[in-house]
């Protein structure tokens, strides 16, 4: 999930619970395009193949200007290109078998040191867990001995972190039941969930800078996915999820996609739609909307709209970074298919 900021002007959301929002099955329902299984398979196959080749070739793109995916030289701060964690989790969600060579490449390049941020730790934990490496016994590039990244993340302060980072951290720490909180932790999963709930704005969404005017579907979707995956029993978390889901319902575009606001106009795109699909796939009560509809005024379901951005090669139309574009779309389709089976793409054994 990306940690970039996007501005989105929104309308007032209703406080309806998703469990009570039934699809409007009317005579106009046929006008909403959904993604048939054949259409899904064709687009997903191309996108997955592209994602897989990024991993095999260790590249951030397969044409034009591209750099190494995992490289301390190209990315001295973290040892990998931005978006690598989504790519790895998505591939794992589709059952990709990471080779020994690929695992060694990741281990030899990922950088975690005293300058690493909470986001760096969270991405590393997600990525390492996805490929089958142990984040609690990991030797980062340049380190003399193995370190426990989970403990290291727990020692990071969450007091001034953005909602995006908090969401990434919560997702990372809930990937495995074996991740233990150290005695000197600065926060707990419960306190982090509560903090994320407090960041929710009066218009039901979340914003990268914690202002109602900057609420966007990307940050909101990330918060929903994180809170849902935390499986918190807190009533405040459950209420926040209902409100956040209502925000997504109210802010889908006429095309069925999601986007961000630029110069007063919503720019629909594959990445924002992918984030929303991941959020919708985080609960059994809402996954039906990923390839369904909230209103018959939608031209298509979010899944159909997102897959419409997938080129024949598997690349993503309009993506400024194919690594991020392909990685997030692949993660979204994996999350959706896993959810249909009652599983979460973020739960990795």
């Amino acid at each position: 999930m990306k940690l970039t900021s996007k501005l989105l002007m929104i309308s007032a959301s209703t406080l309806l619970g998703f469990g009570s929002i039934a699809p409007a099955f009317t005579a106009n329902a046929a006008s909403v395009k959904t993604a048939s299984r054949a259409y899904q398979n064709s687009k997903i196959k191309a996108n997955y193949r592209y994602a897989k080749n990024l991993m095999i070739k260790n590249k951030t793109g397969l044409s034009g200007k591209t750099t190494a995916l995992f490289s301390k030289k190209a990315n001295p701060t973290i040892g990998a290109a931005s978006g690598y964690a989504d790519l790895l989790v998505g591939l794992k969600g589709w059952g990709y078998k990471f080779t020994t060579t690929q695992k060694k490449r990741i281990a030899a390049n990922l950088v975690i040191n005293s300058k690493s941020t909470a986001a760096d730790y969270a991405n590393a934990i997600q990525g390492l867990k996805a490929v089958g490496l142990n984040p609690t016994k990991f030797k980062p590039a340049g380190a003399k001995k193995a370190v426990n990244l989970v403990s290291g993340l727990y020692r990071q302060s969450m007091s001034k972190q953005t909602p995006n980072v908090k969401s990434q951290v919560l997702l990372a720490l809930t990937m495995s039941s074996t991740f233990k909180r150290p005695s000197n932790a600065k926060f707990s999963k419960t306190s982090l969930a509560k903090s994320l709930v407090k960041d929710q704005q009066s218009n039901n969404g979340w914003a990268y800078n914690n202002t109602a005017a900057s609420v966007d579907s990307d940050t909101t979707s990330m918060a929903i996915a994180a809170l849902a995956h935390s499986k918190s029993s807190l009533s405040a978390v459950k209420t926040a999820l209902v409100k956040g889901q209502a925000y997504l319902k109210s802010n889908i575009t006429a095309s069925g996609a999601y986007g961000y606001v630029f110069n007063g106009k919503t720019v629909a795109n594959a990445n924002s739609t992918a984030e929303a699909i991941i959020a919708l796939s985080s609960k059994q009560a809402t996954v039906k909307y990923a390839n369904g509809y909230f209103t018959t005024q939608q031209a298509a379901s979010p899944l159909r709209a997102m897959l419409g951005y997938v080129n024949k090669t598997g690349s993503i139309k309009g993506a400024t970074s194919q690594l991020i574009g392909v990685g997030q779309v692949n993660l979204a389709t994996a999350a959706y298919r896993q959810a249909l089976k009652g599983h979460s793409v973020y739960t990795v054994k």
Side-chain angles (χ1 to χ4, degrees):
M1 293 186 177
K2 52 185 173 298
L3 299 176
T4 56
S5 62
K6 291 181 178 178
L7 301 180
L8 180 63
M9 297 179 65
I10 67 168
S11 59
S13 301
T14 58
L15 302 184
L16 294 175
F18 254 42
S20 63
I21 302 173
F25 291 111
T26 68
N28 295 323
S31 65
V32 181
K33 291 183 179 179
T34 57
S36 68
R37 185 50 70 104
Y39 183 78
Q40 289 181 48
N41 289 345
S42 174
K43 292 288 188 175
I44 288 173
K45 181 178 180 181
N47 180 245
Y48 171 75
R49 182 172 59 246
Y50 196 106
K52 182 176 64 175
N53 283 331
L54 290 179
M55 193 69 211
I56 293 172
K57 297 181 180 181
N58 193 37
K59 295 291 185 180
T60 58
L62 302 180
S63 63
K65 187 177 180 180
T66 185
T67 59
L69 175 53
F70 294 99
S71 168
K72 295 192 298 294
K73 182 178 180 180
N75 303 281
T77 303
I78 60 176
S82 178
Y84 79 90
D86 282 353
L87 177 72
L88 300 182
V89 176
L91 286 172
K92 175 63 177 179
W94 279 111
Y96 181 75
K97 304 298 183 183
F98 296 93
T99 67
T100 299
T101 297
Q102 290 167 353
K103 292 179 182 180
K104 287 182 177 179
R105 179 186 296 135
I106 293 170
N109 286 285
L110 279 189
V111 176
I112 294 290
N113 53 37
S114 60
K115 296 181 180 180
S116 296
T117 66
D120 295 337
Y121 272 93
N123 283 322
I125 290 169
Q126 289 183 34
L128 292 171
K129 187 63 178 175
V131 303
L133 295 174
N134 188 351
T136 67
K137 295 180 181 180
F138 177 65
K139 186 178 181 181
K144 295 182 178 180
K145 60 181 181 179
V147 295
N148 186 331
L149 300 189
V150 173
S151 294
L153 179 52
Y154 267 118
R155 288 193 290 270
Q156 296 283 313
S157 174
M158 292 293 114
S159 61
K160 296 182 180 180
Q161 300 292 351
T162 66
N164 305 65
V165 173
K166 291 177 185 178
S167 297
Q168 288 288 63
V169 170
L170 191 54
L171 280 170
L173 295 178
T174 55
M175 285 187 79
S176 173
S177 60
T178 64
F179 291 165
K180 303 302 181 183
R181 177 175 175 263
S183 59
N184 60 348
K186 292 187 176 181
F187 65 95
S188 67
K189 288 181 288 187
T190 297
S191 69
L192 184 57
K194 287 181 178 179
S195 177
L196 193 53
V197 168
K198 288 182 179 179
D199 290 335
Q200 190 171 29
Q201 301 299 306
S202 59
N203 48 24
N204 302 329
W206 281 264
Y208 72 97
N209 62 357
N210 275 330
T211 63
S214 299
V215 166
D216 64 90
S217 61
D218 293 63
T219 305
T220 298
S221 295
M222 290 176 65
I224 290 172
L227 289 174
H229 195 260
S230 74
K231 294 182 171 61
S232 174
S233 60
L234 294 174
S235 60
V237 170
K238 294 179 180 179
T239 299
L241 284 170
V242 169
K243 291 180 179 180
Q245 291 159 347
Y247 173 89
L248 291 184
K249 174 183 181 290
S250 298
N251 288 278
I252 192 168
T253 68
S255 69
Y258 285 85
Y260 60 93
V261 169
F262 182 72
N263 288 338
K265 294 183 179 180
T266 299
V267 182
N269 61 88
N271 294 73
S272 296
T273 311
E275 296 281 13
I277 289 173
I278 293 169
L280 293 171
S281 299
S282 65
K283 286 286 187 180
Q284 287 300 295
T286 58
V287 65
K288 59 187 175 184
Y289 296 102
N291 196 30
Y293 55 93
F294 303 115
T295 168
T296 53
Q297 299 306 307
Q298 287 175 230
S301 68
L303 183 64
R304 177 63 177 78
M306 182 188 72
L307 292 177
Y309 289 98
V310 179
N311 294 311
K312 290 183 178 179
T313 61
S315 63
I316 304 302
K317 297 174 185 175
T320 56
S321 163
Q322 285 303 325
L323 170 59
I324 294 176
V326 169
Q328 288 184 334
V329 169
N330 187 62
L331 175 58
T333 56
Y336 173 67
R337 287 289 182 88
Q338 289 285 347
L340 292 181
K341 297 185 291 185
H343 301 151
S344 170
V345 74
Y346 284 105
T347 298
V348 182
K349 294 181 179 181

